[in-house]
Amino acid sequence: MSLLTETRKLIVPPRTAPGPSPLARSAVPPLAPGALPGLGHAGALLRDPLGFLGSLSRHGGVVRIRLGPRTVCVVTDARLVHTLLVALAHDCPRGAVQDTLKTAFGDGLLMSEGQAHRDRRRIIQPAFGADRMGEYLAVMQQVTEERAGRWRPGQVLDVAKEMNHLALEIVTRSLFDARLSEDATVAFHRALPDLVKGQIVQSLYPNPALARLPLPVNRRFDDAVRVLNRVVDQAVRGRTATTGPGAGRRTLPALLRAATDPATGCPLTEADVRSEAITMFGAGTETVSTTLTWLLDELLRHPEVEARILAELDEHLPAGTVPTPEALARLAYTRSVTQEVVRLHAPNAFLMRTAQVPVELGPYRVPAGTELLYSLTALHRDPVRYPEPLSFRPERWQDGGGSGRPSFLPFGAGKHKCIGEAFAWAELTVAAAAILRRWRPVAVPGSRAREVVWTTVQAHGLRVRLAPRGARSPRGRTATASREGDAASSPGATAPSSPSEPPPVRCPFTGATRAIIPVAVAVASGPAGPAGPAGPAAPASAVPTSVAPTSAAPTNRTAPAGPRPPRDLRRTADRHADWAVRRGLLTPSELPRYRAYALQELIGHAYPRVRGAELDLLVDVLGWFTILDDRFDGSPGRHPAEAHAVVDPLIAVLDGGRGGSPSESHLLLAWRELWARQTASMSPEWRARAVREWRSCLATFPAEADHRARGTVPALGLDLTDTMKLRRHGSCLYPFMNILERVHGADAPAALHAEPALHRLRANTADAATLINDLYSLKREERQAGPAFNTVLTLERTHGWTRGRAVHAVRARVERLQQESEELRRELLRRHPAGRWYLDGTRELVAGVQAWTSTSNRYLVPDGGRRR
């Protein structure tokens, strides 16, 4: 089982505010459920560390878990963690994870305890005194300006890597007045993962002697220790920075070498100097660089926050001025933003202490020798103390709302509180200000930050394209509109080439050939569409030349912000075809006709910025649903019992049904896989919505079969309104609206989901897509053995209308739905600007359906009336 676990933002199970404990004082902490023989809870912890640790709070303020033969107590209550770190600091020194590094790097500030820790802290404290901060701020700004000055317009930046290098350079120049070679910098960052993985593995060994065995993980750990020591030696002994702010000042190594060890009365040794130096390199690099990465990621998601930061910088820290502590103190909103980033993305996944004597934590008795674990990430996402814990809300820290909270412990508490706290806060602000003033990061589609959990929660995968700040977008533009919409126009970006003219196709209504209107052109041209089919013109009442948004709708997000290489969709189609055959959903002989549907084109239009694995997932889900839908053209579509036999097991998967027996159908086995892929690392709120929407969608199949069996089909016992309510969910648009959040990497704001106007917008989106589908699938559904649930046919039967009049009415209804949807989007955007990406995504879904249905062979009817 991998020790490197990818996860999304932790969802802490809702619970009520802590009240009086029902346990008697000095009670034994409860044992968490789910322990497996031999493994205990190790599998759950390694599989989803944040999810598992966050789930423990429902069982108590201190909860026992088993990691193989060891029992560890997890402290889940912030007040008890504060007690552990402050009142019980002497009795509960650092635990096994830190002991691993102590063996490698010596008894420095990070690893020492008791009097030795106090003595060493007094020696180092002057390096972080208020009188030194002005020097450090100037160095921080210069280093960031130099590094950002080497970037180029249009360059795609690996943010985590670049922030790692920046943070290391700031520490080296600020505290050591030295410069590392590029080779040393690269070696340092390559060694860190092996160091952290080895630290985790060795801390879990049941016997410390196992760390001395020549296992691969141990060898890599030892190699990483040697590399880090060499890098630190270069900084400690090889000063090369002799110019710039702070040149000639006393460095941390000089401070240490001038000090005397109170315990011995002798000067500190070079081993002591190296130990403290490597502490500063490790603690001052990884966590700060990770937080800077998350900060940029959150600003990409919340451009209105970025705009406020820039405005505050313009007011209190004008461009060209050297930052001072007084100026930083005036940046109240910027500080709120950095606090919220640190809260939401607390870098410490878990830390440990060991009870050397029996201790009491609240109502719990902890025996001597017990290992105590706590997760700052879980504490900072506690919904009791932080309402809407997964929402990025800087305003929660304004007016002193967050300062002094015992539940906010990003730098620890008590005697072991991080000595560089003020340095780190200043570094975050100064570095972010220098970067944002020079550059406007533009998100690269499909490359958002994701959480990777080691002992720290790191940010991996964020890549941005750099645009000069002079190209700043108007204030209030959305994250997707201002970033992704500008990706193609950024300096260095490649402009999309003009698409070749699509070939004429056979109209499904009249048999006439017509040119396909690219959806971007259709939107820009309004509902009438551009002139001229490529063949004999069909009557306007019969041919839905354009059901794209009206001219009142914004048009800048209908087409992809940057050109997606055609090979991306082709490769996705190839992988999907291979997946469908391997899963037994299709035979090789069925592939040619199926591939003519070009389902990847629908996804390509509807999700213009999605790439990679997310693109594969969307096409696989759509393909699976299409194959399922085709099943109901036959007997299951007319016999409720057969329909239930197909659908009920699929719905059971949503309810947690395990199954997995060899007798299960290919559809069901594929659905299990797709459901796992959809929901991986998603929030409980999102999963609950997805369960509801997929259940409603799948339930329409037996419902329609029941209506056909009883004869209560549209116009014969079922009116048009009820038909639309039924089919609204059957189109699978609701689940695909949920997947907007899946591919975006975050839930839409909870307040937006609570809006009745959003419910209407989602219904309009599903209805518009359903009606568009009805227009193009008309001939196909008309040939079904039983009555079809098609709006055009329903209007013909209900009102006795001609085909042309019914088509015209449906097309007009689509246009009205889209006009109303634009009004709803504007209304919702005023109240929830952070949800603009989601609101725009609903528009793109409808446009994507239009673009695809007008070209896919799934609905084209050649001369002779036979379907391809």
Side-chain angles (χ1 to χ4, degrees), residues 637-638 640 700-714 716-719 722-723 726 787 789:
R638 300 185 301 275
T700 59
F701 289 109
E704 289 184 357
D706 184 63
H707 281 297
R708 292 190 186 99
R710 292 188 290 110
T712 54
V713 293
L716 297 173
L718 193 66
D719 63 23
D722 291 336
T723 301
L726 177 65
F789 283 72

Side-chain angles (χ1 to χ4, degrees), residues 443-497:
V444 174
S447 300
R448 304 309 300 267
R450 67 185 187 279
E451 289 182 342
V452 175
V453 183
W454 295 337
T455 51
T456 57
V457 184
Q458 302 194 355
H460 284 199
L462 178 61
R463 296 168 65 242
V464 299
R465 190 181 302 279
L466 297 170
R469 181 52 69 179
R472 184 173 170 183
S473 60
R475 182 177 298 184
R477 232 172 133 190
T478 68
T480 45
S482 64
R483 300 189 310 272
E484 296 161 351
D486 291 327
S489 60
S490 299
T494 304
S497 58

Side-chain angles (χ1 to χ4, degrees), residues 157-170:
L157 210 66
D158 183 330
V159 177
K161 178 181 177 181
E162 198 66 22
M163 293 305 103
N164 271 327
H165 285 244
L166 174 62
L168 180 60
E169 193 170 355
I170 287 176

Side-chain angles (χ1 to χ4, degrees), residues 713-716 718-721 723 727 774 778 788-801 806:
V713 293
L716 297 173
L718 193 66
D719 63 23
L720 188 59
T721 301
T723 301
R727 302 190 61 238
D774 283 354
L778 177 59
F789 283 72
N790 183 289
T791 312
V792 175
L793 297 176
T794 300
L795 289 173
E796 290 178 1
R797 289 194 297 264
T798 303
H799 303 298
W801 287 353

Side-chain angles (χ1 to χ4, degrees), residues 253-607:
L255 186 68
L256 291 167
R257 290 183 178 121
T260 300
D261 187 345
T264 64
C266 299
L268 297 182
T269 66
E270 283 302 305
D272 292 328
V273 175
R274 182 190 292 111
S275 179
E276 300 305 344
I278 204 160
T279 294
M280 298 306 159
F281 270 82
T285 300
E286 184 184 17
T287 55
V288 171
S289 65
T290 297
T291 304
L292 275 171
T293 304
W294 283 121
L295 173 60
L296 292 178
D297 185 72
E298 291 296 349
L299 294 183
L300 288 171
R301 299 175 191 271
H302 303 89
E304 71 284 359
V305 174
E306 180 191 57
R308 286 190 62 180
I309 287 177
L310 289 169
E312 187 175 67
L313 291 173
D314 290 342
E315 181 179 358
H316 297 298
L317 190 62
T321 61
V322 177
T324 64
E326 294 75 22
L328 295 190
R330 292 192 292 268
L331 301 176
Y333 183 73
T334 303
R335 178 59 179 257
S336 296
V337 172
T338 55
Q339 284 179 303
E340 181 67 351
V341 171
V342 170
R343 179 201 67 81
L344 183 56
H345 303 288
N348 295 113
F350 59 88
L351 296 166
M352 297 185 74
R353 295 288 188 269
T354 301
Q356 289 189 329
V357 297
V359 297
E360 292 183 350
L361 276 170
Y364 304 103
R365 180 179 67 254
V366 177
T370 301
E371 293 177 290
L372 296 154
L373 181 150
Y374 60 96
S375 168
L376 293 183
T377 313
L379 295 177
H380 290 173
R381 294 174 179 181
D382 185 343
V384 172
R385 293 173 173 83
Y386 299 99
E388 298 183 56
L390 296 186
S391 297
F392 181 72
R393 293 173 47 200
E395 61 273 12
R396 76 172 85 234
W397 301 98
Q398 294 174 348
D399 301 322
S403 58
R405 290 187 185 186
S407 60
F408 186 57
L409 304 167
F411 295 93
K415 66 177 185 177
H416 287 292
K417 188 174 185 179
C418 177
I419 197 171
E421 178 179 7
F423 185 98
W425 285 122
E427 183 179 356
L428 288 172
T429 303
V430 172
I435 292 170
L436 294 174
R437 276 215 166 110
R438 182 183 287 260
W439 297 106
R440 178 167 58 86
V442 178
V444 174
S447 300
R448 304 309 300 267
R450 67 185 187 279
E451 289 182 342
V452 175
V453 183
W454 295 337
T455 51
T456 57
V457 184
Q458 302 194 355
H460 284 199
L462 178 61
R463 296 168 65 242
V464 299
R465 190 181 302 279
L466 297 170
R469 181 52 69 179
R472 184 173 170 183
S473 60
R475 182 177 298 184
R477 232 172 133 190
T478 68
T480 45
S482 64
R483 300 189 310 272
E484 296 161 351
D486 291 327
S489 60
S490 299
T494 304
S497 58
S498 299
S500 59
E501 181 179 354
V505 296
R506 184 70 58 186
C507 173
F509 307 112
T510 65
T513 59
R514 58 188 172 86
I516 299 304
I517 305 169
V519 67
V521 177
V523 175
S525 304
S541 61
V543 182
T545 57
S546 172
V547 287
T550 66
S551 57
T555 62
N556 63 332
R557 279 180 51 80
T558 305
R564 179 195 277 116
R567 64 176 180 274
D568 282 8
L569 290 179
R570 289 197 299 269
R571 290 171 178 172
T572 294
D574 291 342
R575 288 192 294 269
H576 170 67
D578 179 68
W579 176 83
V581 171
R582 282 189 293 104
R583 276 294 181 184
L585 300 174
L586 296 170
T587 64
S589 63
E590 293 172 320
L591 271 182
R593 183 173 68 86
Y594 175 80
R595 294 195 67 157
Y597 294 170
L599 298 178
Q600 75 279 359
E601 297 294 338
L602 192 160
I603 297 301
H605 286 297
Y607 300 85

Side-chain angles (χ1 to χ4, degrees), residues 8-9 297-304 448 476-484 557 606-610 682 686 689 736-750 752-753 758 761 825 828-829 832-845:
R8 273 195 79 254
K9 296 177 182 175
D297 185 72
E298 291 296 349
L299 294 183
L300 288 171
R301 299 175 191 271
H302 303 89
E304 71 284 359
R448 304 309 300 267
R477 232 172 133 190
T478 68
T480 45
S482 64
R483 300 189 310 272
E484 296 161 351
R557 279 180 51 80
Y607 300 85
R609 279 158 297 282
V610 174
M682 295 302 291
W686 186 92
R689 284 195 299 273
F736 273 87
M737 280 186 276
N738 290 336
I739 293 178
L740 282 170
E741 298 170 277
R742 171 70 171 79
V743 299
H744 183 75
D747 289 12
L752 175 62
H753 274 297
L758 183 70
L761 174 62
R825 288 188 186 97
L828 290 166
L829 186 59
H832 308 282
R836 187 165 195 166
W837 59 269
Y838 183 87
L839 301 174
D840 288 348
T842 60
R843 181 194 298 115
E844 289 173 336
L845 275 172

Side-chain angles (χ1 to χ4, degrees), residues 90-133:
H90 177 74
D91 295 329
C92 299
R94 291 181 173 92
V97 174
Q98 287 88 339
D99 287 344
T100 303
L101 293 184
K102 182 176 179 179
T103 302
F105 299 121
D107 200 13
L109 182 66
L110 184 63
M111 278 68 76
S112 60
E113 293 288 348
Q115 187 62 45
H117 174 82
R118 289 191 290 271
D119 291 341
R120 192 60 59 86
R121 192 177 183 99
R122 289 193 190 101
I123 294 172
I124 296 175
Q125 187 66 58
F128 295 96
D131 59 322
R132 305 293 296 274
M133 194 55 65

